Structure formats: C-alpha cells, structure tokens
Amino acid sequence: MKHKLYLSFSVIIFIGFVLFSSCSKEKSENRKNLTIAFYNVENLFDTVDEPGKMDEEFTPGSDKQWTDERYRKKLQDISAVLSSIDKKELPEIIGLCEVENKKVVSDLVHTDKLAAGKYGIVHYESPDVRGIDCALVYRPDEFKVLDCLPVHITFKNEPDYKTRDILYVKGRTKNREVFHLFVNHWPSRIGGEEQTEPKRVAVAAVLRAKIDSVLHVNPKAKIIVMGDMNDEPVNKSLSETLSAGIPGKSNKELVNLMYPDDLQNLGSYNFRGNWNMLDNLIVSTNLLDEEGFQCKDKKGFVFHEEWMEYKNNRGEVSPNRTYGGPNYYGGISDHFPVYFKLQR
C-alpha cells in the first residue's frame, strides 16, 4: 500500500514538473524581442551625378569607377549583414548613416534578404556638403511612426560649416509603448581629434537640449540614441555634454550601452590598428529597470563575422571596407554595425 502511494505521489510530481517546464518554455517562447541596430554603411551612393551634391566621385566615369554592378553588390552585402544580426527574424528598427538619398535606402530595403521586412523609411535631405544623410528604417508590423523631423545643426563660430542633421523619430510599438529615437552622424575627426572635438561637443549639446525637451513633457519618456558620433563613450561629448554613463554603474538619466565593450578595448571602427567605439547606442535608464520593454542584456554589441572582416599580413582584423581612396576593395563598410535587444 505504501509502495503504491509512493508511486502515485512520484507520478504526480513528475506530471507537475512536466507541466511547469512546458509552461515555462511556452512563456519564454512567447516573450517578444525587438532588435535595434545602427550601421554606418560607408558612402552608400547611387551612380547618378546629382546637381548640388559633391557626389561626382561616385559615378562610373570617376577615379572610383562606381558602377551599377558595384552599387548592387554593396546593397546585397549590406543586406546580408543586417539580416544576419538575428538569425530568427529581421531587425525591427535600423538606423543608418552615410546614405545619399531616400532612393538608396529604398533600394537597400527591397533587396532579397530584407524585402520580407516590408520596411518603412524615414529620411530627410541634410545640408552636408558631401550629400550624406541619416535614415531610419522600421518594420511597420512592429513599429508605427507618430512623428519625425530633422534637427538642424549650426555652429556660432563657423556659420558656413555644414554637417548632418540629427534625425528624430517618435514611434509606438504593438503593445503601445512610445519611443523617442535619435539617429546621429557627428562631425569627423579629420583635422585632428582635439581640434575637431568642439564641433562634436556642440552637436551633443543640441541633442541633449532636444532630449531634455522630451523629458520635460514626460519624465518617463523612453529615449534611444544611436549613431556614429566619431567619439567614444569616454569622450567629453558623450560622457559630459550628453551625460551618458555606464550601465548599472550610473545614476544618470542616460546610459551608453557600448561602454562595457569599450572598456574592454573593443570597437566598431579600426584606425591604424586601434579599435575605436565610434558607433554608440544610448538609452534612458528606464529601459534597464522598469516594466515593458527592457534592454535584454543591459548592454549593446558590435556585430561582425569573418566574412565581414579584412585581415592584413600581420593577422590584424578590421572591417572590410568598400574603398581606400580611389582603390576598390569590394568590402562592405569601414564600420561594423552595433545593436541591442529589447525584451518584454
């Protein structure tokens, strides 16, 4: 009798364990992820010489010999990268910089590997003298744009200096969470890092003012900043002016999700053998410690695989770029993309 009772009790426990495991697995599988990525695609130009833009070098007759064949290859290569970030599904939101116009973004999202996402596009022409802009693409099945505008940049001491606008997009997810996104491409370090730093600090101040205006209306607003800042997390523009701290170690309103990797000397861009974390992902702290969508790993990641890399004769790895001066290398971009995941 005791043996039968013991056997029955064991069966009940086993069934309960199976049901609990099944429910836990189902709950885990039902969790919703959003992948948010940013990619500097290194001069994604079409082959047409557009009046008013300094795009002559990206034409078939230029020293670069930028042909339709090379353009199509670059589109396919970029789409291969973006579609590989998450093996299960396409990223829901992607920020881009160094795109010439809306047409090249449209050509990109209609490539075979990205077409299933049916991406919507947010793009504005900026006053950059080279004709490169920022853009945001999004899957409309997961994200609805509520508002968008370009944030213009002017410099008091250099009123004739032109740079890329900051792209602002306000949108809502399927579960009705509202996000405020800012896509950036700050002035480069050409001319020297210290000499050009004031320009990046000035852009950071404009961005910070825009973020503060959002937070003034709603202190709990969910902020996502992405871009090639041409500065690293520790630099003044990001750590002081924008005031973005280290995830889990800061009481600031914003944290830089690329800080952890940067502290390990990892980066998204390689300059003369040194890794730089120039591509940054910054979020409001309520994406780390409140309900709704949360930053899954409390950090961002640099995405790269061997087929995206160039290895020199010393065995040093860097992003496999498309051009070096007029020389065509046939690579994808001189940057690796960065990304993070939200989960609820």
Side-chain angles (χ1 to χ4, degrees):
M1 183 67 178
K2 288 183 178 179
H3 178 71
K4 290 183 178 180
L5 288 173
Y6 177 77
L7 184 62
S8 299
F9 185 65
S10 298
V11 171
I12 291 171
I13 292 175
F14 175 75
I15 292 172
F17 175 77
V18 171
L19 289 173
F20 176 78
S21 298
S22 177
C23 290
S24 297
K25 183 179 180 181
E26 183 179 352
K27 183 177 180 181
S28 176
E29 290 177 348
N30 287 337
R31 285 179 176 172
K32 179 59 190 174
N33 290 306
L34 290 182
T35 299
I36 298 174
F38 172 81
Y39 199 9
N40 178 330
V41 292
E42 188 200 352
N43 295 319
L44 182 56
F45 281 80
D46 59 27
T47 62
V48 179
D49 183 6
E50 186 175 334
K53 284 186 179 180
M54 294 176 61
D55 62 349
E56 297 85 0
E57 62 177 330
F58 289 97
T59 56
S62 70
D63 290 342
K64 281 186 165 66
Q65 299 179 39
W66 185 237
T67 62
D68 187 66
E69 181 181 1
R70 290 179 174 182
Y71 172 59
R72 295 293 166 185
K73 179 184 183 302
K74 187 173 176 75
L75 290 172
Q76 295 295 336
D77 288 345
I78 295 169
S79 66
V81 172
L82 294 172
S83 62
S84 298
I85 291 176
D86 187 331
K87 300 297 190 295
K88 295 181 179 179
E89 62 177 345
L90 294 171
E92 283 76 9
I93 296 172
I94 305 170
L96 301 167
C97 78
E98 293 203 14
V99 297
E100 182 186 7
N101 49 41
K102 189 173 183 179
K103 176 187 177 297
V104 300
V105 182
S106 179
D107 287 347
L108 175 63
V109 299
H110 284 93
T111 53
D112 292 343
K113 288 183 170 63
L114 295 180
K118 298 181 179 179
Y119 285 98
I121 299 171
V122 183
H123 168 270
Y124 293 94
E125 289 287 340
S126 74
D128 179 85
V129 293
R130 291 182 53 228
I132 53 175
D133 314 317
C134 296
L136 186 89
V137 301
Y138 61 94
R139 281 175 41 192
D141 60 324
E142 296 290 349
F143 186 78
K144 179 182 179 180
V145 172
L146 302 175
D147 191 16
C148 55
L149 57 87
V151 179
H152 300 298
I153 308 296
T154 56
F155 300 92
K156 292 181 180 179
N157 297 331
E158 296 184 61
D160 294 330
Y161 184 88
K162 306 297 182 183
T163 191
R164 282 74 60 176
D165 296 331
I166 299 171
L167 177 61
Y168 166 69
V169 179
K170 178 183 178 182
R172 184 172 59 218
T173 61
K174 284 176 68 175
N175 70 323
R176 306 189 67 79
E177 287 188 56
V178 174
F179 288 90
H180 300 264
L181 299 104
F182 299 86
V183 187
N184 299 258
H185 186 194
W186 295 0
S188 77
R189 294 182 171 190
I190 295 175
E193 179 183 344
E194 291 185 9
Q195 293 85 345
T196 57
E197 182 182 58
K199 288 186 173 67
R200 293 186 293 278
V201 169
V203 178
V206 172
L207 174 60
R208 182 71 225 197
K210 180 63 180 177
I211 291 172
D212 286 341
S213 68
V214 172
L215 293 174
H216 178 73
V217 175
N218 179 12
K220 294 184 178 181
K222 295 186 175 182
I223 309 292
I224 297 175
V225 176
M226 63 181 80
D228 174 4
M229 278 67 167
N230 277 302
D231 265 341
E232 301 187 84
V234 71
N235 289 132
K236 180 180 178 180
S237 61
L238 291 165
S239 64
E240 296 181 28
T241 308
L242 193 61
S243 192
I246 303 174
K249 298 182 180 180
S250 172
N251 58 1
K252 296 180 178 180
E253 292 174 313
L254 302 174
V255 292
N256 192 330
L257 298 178
M258 303 313 299
Y259 232 130
D261 278 5
D262 184 51
L263 293 174
Q264 296 183 51
N265 295 318
L266 302 176
S268 58
Y269 180 82
N270 191 289
F271 182 68
R272 296 177 180 174
N274 297 311
W275 285 104
N276 302 132
M277 192 64 76
L278 301 185
D279 301 281
N280 292 266
L281 298 166
I282 297 161
V283 301
S284 49
T285 52
N286 57 11
L287 284 175
L288 272 65
D289 58 13
E290 287 190 5
E291 295 181 358
F293 275 113
Q294 298 295 295
C295 183
K296 185 177 178 181
D297 301 284
K298 299 188 185 302
K299 69 180 294 295
F301 300 89
V302 178
F303 178 74
H304 62 99
E305 295 188 354
E306 190 173 351
W307 51 271
M308 300 165 55
E309 301 170 348
Y310 168 75
K311 185 179 292 186
N312 64 20
N313 53 17
R314 295 186 299 275
E316 297 171 336
V317 171
S318 61
N320 191 13
R321 62 194 304 161
T322 307
Y323 278 96
N327 300 314
Y328 179 67
Y329 298 147
I332 309 166
S333 173
D334 55 354
H335 288 245
F336 288 140
V338 292
Y339 74 97
F340 70 102
K341 289 182 179 290
L342 292 172
Q343 185 182 76
R344 62 172 175 83

